[in-house]
């Protein structure tokens, strides 16, 4: 019962860690765009197929986190993996 009482604080601290990571990335202020590279068609196709499923999974993890272990941090990790796939597939700026 003690662990259940601190679940809200745990989720709040997870969100705070993610926001600090985002602020750290924004503080880098990288001006030079990366050099363009060739993108494999298979990776692009895989990203187009898998990322929507990952988005639905992240929404489910966030929703299920209100009633079970898991939540904001796990959902964000899945979304970040989807963003990496999109970037490697050349679909994300």
């Amino acid at each position: 019962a003690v662990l259940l009482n601190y679940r809200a604080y745990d989720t709040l601290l997870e969100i705070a860690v993610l926001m600090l990571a985002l602020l750290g990335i924004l503080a880098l202020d990288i001006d030079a765009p990366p050099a363009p590279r060739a993108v494999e068609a298979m990776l692009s196709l895989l990203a187009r197929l898998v990322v929507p499923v990952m988005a639905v999974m992240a929404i489910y993890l966030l929703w299920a986190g209100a009633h079970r272990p898991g939540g904001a941090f796990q959902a964000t990790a899945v979304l970040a993996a989807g963003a990496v796939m999109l970037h490697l597939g050349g679909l994300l700026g």
Side-chain angles (χ1 to χ4, degrees):
V2 172
L3 292 175
L4 293 176
N5 291 333
Y6 291 107
R7 180 182 286 174
Y9 292 123
D10 180 49
T11 303
L12 180 66
L13 289 175
E14 288 172 351
I15 292 172
V17 166
L18 293 172
M19 292 301 293
L20 284 174
L22 178 66
L23 288 175
I25 290 170
L26 293 176
L28 291 176
D29 194 31
I30 299 173
D31 292 333
R37 58 179 174 76
V39 176
E40 294 183 24
M42 187 57 116
L43 182 59
S44 178
L45 177 66
L46 182 67
R48 287 178 196 257
L49 293 175
V50 173
V51 170
V53 175
M54 293 175 80
V56 171
M57 184 186 301
I59 291 169
Y60 171 74
L61 285 171
L62 190 60
W63 172 75
H67 306 289
R68 294 184 263 188
F73 190 80
Q74 289 82 0
T76 307
V78 171
L79 281 178
V84 168
M85 285 188 70
L86 287 174
H87 180 70
L88 291 175
L91 301 171
L92 187 67

